């Protein structure tokens, strides 16, 4: 990504085959990279504003052009030098990427008579089409476009179509240029992974030998080189991301690393003590550990704050203030480590062309007066499941690697409205019950993420012979691979019923329990 220095990227690239995803602002750019990595091929995303010379210098085996929100024929539409298509490197254009390829090479793109959105039956026009090797004919693909390729550029052959889209796929085999109007990266395209694998392995010639172990080894080596004899401060939350980052740093530099664990009062029930047991003096890792009990400080800062984005920023800034204070106590600190992962980067609109979905305290939210020389983010290019793979490679126990994900701002984003100590206790107790019953039912093996959140809704209820006016707790459970999209899980009624009974009976100030069926999109996984 453009926000990083070139050193780490080039070190990886020298050792491994690389596919570059050139981002024109499409909503699925990160999914394309994820699918390529599923082929065991290293992949990174770069903005369409990246210099052509830089692309050439990295010597990619192939380039994928993403979708985008514009029309290629508009005056200010995203574009790129035509010379990209003359490098002899295989290029695959997806949706807008295919339209840009057509437009820049002299074909015609126009407003579609019938917009296609959703699943479509794609008919393959000739059996030897390289992208469709081993693909069913017809096959089901996901369309999302209001423009279409009305006429392909010279030298291209139409390789697939739908009832409403005359050019669903095209290829120019002599120039190694390929385009598809549909989105092979999304799960709704039933054989999309095979189509991308055909491009990456058969067309680009990648062997698929990149493994997470290589990323971990290169990351540790890079950290040693970058840090030298400097001192490092790690923002340890106890979640999967920061824990894996901390262990990677510990492997690289040992006690040059100080992990500061800020118990901001927004953690899950008993989690502060659990984190200290793992990383503290009685734990298994070679690092310095400091626990800061700052619950009252965070509650004071959040008093009266209702707007979600403002809460996130307050929590993030207060984190930094705490770290600054701890840094002054331990002396000069050269680096700050954060457990930023790729979805944080993408959703924060940093480094690519994506629209900002939410800010993240690890990404782009640092105040201008942070007192550290440099930030280290060793997991910045990994998706959540890849972070877990890295954790296993580092020897972290499975019970830690596969613990339930937890957002950086903690329960601050699982409480709608103002955050108070009373509300935090409600969520902690309800969430502990929910997770306990889900685990007992074996749902922890089949559901990606589940938690309880507190709505800002209060309603009338009856408990015993008394009328109540208390809060409603929302239960959330989703299945997801990459945490960029998610679907609500189907939890058995008997499990939900038992959880509901326990929460309303055991948690004070709750008289109603709801189940959130919203997917992502249109919602987010967290409640705020």
């Amino acid at each position: 990504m453009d926000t990083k220095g070139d050193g780490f990227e080039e070190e990886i690239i020298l050792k491994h085959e690389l596919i570059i995803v050139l981002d024109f602002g499409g909503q699925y750019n990160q999914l394309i990279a994820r699918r390529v990595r599923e082929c065991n091929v290293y992949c990174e995303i770069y903005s369409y504003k990246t210099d052509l010379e830089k692309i050439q210098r990295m010597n990619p085996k192939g380039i994928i052009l993403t979708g985008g929100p514009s029309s290629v024929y508009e005056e200010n539409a995203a574009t790129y030098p035509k010379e990209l298509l003359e490098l002899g490197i295989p290029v695959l254009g997806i949706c807008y990427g295919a339209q840009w390829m057509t437009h820049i090479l002299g074909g015609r793109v126009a407003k579609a008579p019938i917009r296609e959105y959703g699943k479509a039956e794609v008919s393959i026009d000739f059996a030897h089409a390289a992208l469709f090797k081993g693909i069913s004919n017809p096959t089901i693909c996901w369309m999302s476009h209001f423009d279409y390729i009305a006429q392909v550029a010279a030298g291209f052959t139409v390789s697939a179509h739908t009832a409403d889209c005359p050019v669903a796929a095209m290829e120019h085999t002599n120039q190694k240029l390929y385009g598809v109007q549909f989105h092979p990266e999304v799960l709704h395209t039933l054989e999309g992974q095979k189509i991308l694998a055909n491009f990456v392995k058969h067309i680009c010639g990648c062997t698929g030998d990149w493994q997470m172990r290589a990323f971990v080894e290169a990351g540790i080596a890079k950290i040693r080189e970058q840090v030298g004899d400097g001192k490092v401060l790690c923002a340890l939350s106890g979640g999967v991301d920061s824990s894996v980052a901390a262990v990677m740093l510990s492997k690289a530099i040992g006690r040059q690393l100080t992990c500061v664990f800020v118990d901001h009062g927004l953690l899950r029930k008993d989690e502060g003590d659990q984190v200290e047991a793992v990383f503290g003096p009685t734990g298994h890792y070679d690092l310095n550990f400091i626990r800061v009990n700052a619950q009252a400080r965070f509650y004071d800062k959040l008093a009266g704050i209702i707007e979600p984005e403002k809460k996130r920023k307050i929590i993030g800034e207060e984190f930094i203030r705490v770290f600054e204070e701890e840094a002054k106590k331990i002396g000069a600190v050269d680096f700050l480590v954060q457990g930023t992962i790729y979805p944080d980067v993408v959703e924060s609109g940093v480094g690519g062309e994506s629209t900002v979905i939410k800010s993240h305290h690890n990404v782009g939210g640092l105040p201008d007066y942070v007192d550290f020389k440099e930030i280290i983010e060793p997991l910045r290019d990994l998706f959540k499941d890849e972070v877990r793979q890295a954790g296993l490679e580092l020897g972290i126990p499975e019970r830690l690697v596969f613990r339930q994900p937890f957002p950086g701002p903690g329960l601050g984003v699982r409480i709608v409205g103002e955050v108070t100590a009373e509300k935090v206790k409600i969520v902690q107790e309800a969430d502990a019950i929910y997770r306990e019953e889900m685990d007992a039912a074996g749902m922890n093996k089949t559901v990606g993420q589940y938690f309880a959140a507190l709505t800002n809704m209060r309603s009338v209820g009856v408990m015993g012979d008394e009328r109540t006016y208390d809060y409603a707790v929302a239960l959330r459970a989703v299945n997801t691979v990459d945490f960029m999209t998610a679907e609500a899980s189907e939890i058995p009624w008997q499990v939900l019923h038992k959880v509901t009974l326990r929460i309303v009976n055991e948690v004070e100030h709750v008289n109603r329990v709801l189940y959130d069926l919203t997917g992502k999109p249109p919602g987010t996984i967290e409640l705020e």
Side-chain angles (χ1 to χ4, degrees):
M1 295 180 57
D2 278 332
T3 53
K4 284 194 321 183
D6 292 344
F8 182 75
E9 296 161 359
E10 292 183 355
E11 181 176 335
I12 293 285
I13 293 162
L14 286 173
K15 296 180 180 179
H16 301 284
E17 301 161 325
L18 171 70
I19 296 292
I20 285 177
V21 173
L22 204 60
D23 180 14
F24 284 104
Q27 61 179 317
Y28 300 131
N29 52 19
Q30 70 285 348
L31 290 181
I32 299 171
R34 184 68 192 89
R35 302 298 175 237
V36 172
R37 291 189 195 181
E38 287 175 359
C39 298
N40 292 326
V41 176
Y42 190 70
C43 178
E44 286 200 348
I45 297 176
Y46 290 84
S47 166
Y48 74 91
K49 299 170 186 175
T50 306
D51 290 339
L52 179 62
E53 292 75 16
K54 180 174 181 176
I55 299 295
Q56 288 180 279
R57 189 167 67 247
M58 290 189 294
N59 192 31
K61 296 280 287 186
I63 298 169
I64 300 177
L65 313 177
T66 76
S70 305
S71 294
V72 293
Y73 46 77
E74 294 175 347
E75 183 177 352
N76 296 319
T79 189
Y80 202 77
K82 179 182 176 182
E83 287 76 15
L84 177 76
L85 306 177
E86 300 170 352
L87 298 177
I89 299 170
V91 178
L92 171 63
I94 295 176
C95 199
Y96 181 93
Q99 294 171 5
W100 171 81
M101 185 185 297
T102 299
H103 180 73
I104 203 76
L105 292 176
R108 187 167 67 89
V109 177
K111 189 75 69 179
I114 300 176
R115 175 181 174 177
E116 281 189 306
Y117 183 82
K119 293 181 180 179
E121 187 176 87
V122 173
S123 298
I124 302 168
D125 292 327
F126 52 96
H128 61 276
L131 280 179
F132 297 106
K133 182 179 180 180
I135 303 299
S136 305
N137 190 11
T139 186
I140 300 299
C141 299
W142 184 262
M143 291 284 190
S144 179
H145 65 98
F146 51 84
D147 288 335
Y148 79 122
I149 297 171
Q151 181 180 341
V152 297
F156 279 83
T157 301
V158 177
S159 53
H161 70 278
T162 73
D164 298 315
C165 183
V167 185
M170 62 183 188
E171 62 179 55
H172 191 321
T173 53
N174 291 339
Q175 297 296 319
K176 302 178 183 178
L177 304 178
Y178 303 82
V180 293
Q181 186 60 68
F182 56 86
H183 288 273
E185 68 274 21
V186 302
L187 295 178
H188 301 297
T189 297
L190 298 185
E191 297 177 280
Q193 183 62 28
K194 290 182 182 178
I195 293 171
L196 287 173
N198 281 338
F199 176 72
V200 169
K201 292 188 173 181
H202 300 303
I203 294 173
C204 298
C206 294
T207 57
D209 62 354
W210 184 77
Q211 301 290 339
M212 185 53 62
R213 181 177 301 172
F215 183 93
V216 169
E217 291 173 352
I220 290 173
K222 177 59 181 176
I223 289 166
R224 287 187 184 132
E225 177 186 345
Q226 183 178 3
V227 172
D229 59 0
K231 290 185 177 180
V232 181
L233 185 62
C234 177
L236 179 64
S237 71
V240 175
D241 306 331
S242 66
S243 295
V244 172
V247 173
M248 184 178 287
L249 267 291
S250 173
K251 297 274 188 183
I253 58 173
R255 289 192 172 268
Q256 291 172 248
L257 170 67
T258 297
C259 287
V260 175
F261 167 53
V262 178
D263 188 345
H264 49 24
L266 303 170
L267 298 171
R268 290 172 286 205
K269 185 178 180 180
D270 299 329
E271 193 158 42
D273 294 339
Q274 294 167 3
V275 171
E276 185 169 359
V278 172
F279 291 97
T282 60
H284 304 290
Y285 300 108
D286 185 28
L287 50 82
N288 301 302
F289 178 84
I290 297 173
R291 178 175 179 175
V292 183
N293 294 309
Q295 293 93 329
R297 177 172 174 170
F298 278 82
Y299 293 161
D300 288 344
K301 289 285 185 179
L302 291 167
I305 305 301
I306 296 175
E307 202 274 315
E309 190 69 7
K310 192 170 183 181
K311 286 196 292 186
R312 286 179 176 273
K313 289 182 177 179
I314 287 172
I315 295 168
E317 182 165 334
E318 202 60 22
F319 256 100
I320 298 301
R321 300 285 74 78
V322 173
F323 288 138
E324 284 182 334
E325 292 167 12
E326 293 305 316
K328 290 174 183 176
K329 292 178 186 178
I330 65 177
V333 173
D334 303 294
F335 301 91
L336 172 67
V337 176
Q338 296 185 143
T340 309
I341 67 172
Y342 207 25
D344 300 332
V345 175
V346 173
E347 291 194 344
S348 298
V350 178
E353 298 305 317
S354 299
T355 302
V356 175
I357 297 173
K358 61 186 179 184
S359 70
H360 190 280
H361 76 279
N362 280 346
V363 186
L366 297 176
D368 294 335
Y369 45 91
V370 174
D371 190 21
F372 301 97
K373 294 179 182 178
E374 195 172 343
I375 292 176
I376 298 174
E377 296 174 313
L379 310 177
R380 185 183 177 93
D381 291 324
L382 298 186
F383 291 92
K384 177 70 75 172
D385 57 321
E386 293 177 320
V387 172
R388 290 194 170 104
Q389 292 176 33
L392 294 176
E393 291 290 345
L394 288 163
I396 301 176
E398 286 192 20
R399 62 183 175 82
L400 294 181
V401 170
F402 291 101
R403 71 187 305 178
Q404 282 288 301
F406 196 58
L411 298 181
V413 294
R414 292 183 181 174
I415 296 173
V416 178
E418 183 183 13
V419 175
T420 66
E422 179 188 55
K423 288 183 177 180
V424 169
K425 183 173 177 56
I426 291 172
V427 180
Q428 287 177 331
E429 295 296 335
D431 181 71
I433 290 170
Y434 184 30
R435 288 187 290 121
E436 180 182 324
E437 293 299 336
M438 289 284 281
D439 293 352
M443 302 303 293
N444 57 324
K445 299 180 176 65
T446 59
V447 179
Q449 182 177 358
Y450 44 93
F451 59 87
L454 184 63
T455 73
N456 205 27
M457 181 184 78
R458 300 183 75 179
S459 62
V460 174
V462 178
M463 299 185 76
D465 295 325
E466 295 184 356
R467 175 187 175 98
T468 62
Y469 185 64
D470 281 327
Y471 289 105
V473 163
L475 304 179
R476 189 86 162 114
V478 297
N479 287 322
T480 180
V481 174
D482 44 45
F483 288 79
M484 300 306 302
T485 61
E487 293 183 348
S489 301
E490 295 185 20
I491 307 301
W493 169 250
Q494 61 268 28
V495 177
L496 290 176
H497 183 61
K498 187 174 183 180
V499 171
T500 298
L501 286 177
R502 284 196 61 191
I503 289 176
V504 296
N505 283 312
E506 298 177 32
V507 182
E508 293 183 2
H509 306 299
V510 175
N511 66 1
R512 199 174 296 270
V513 177
L514 313 172
Y515 186 66
D516 185 354
L517 285 168
T518 315
K520 176 184 180 182
T524 57
I525 292 178
E526 298 296 338
L527 212 61
E528 290 193 351

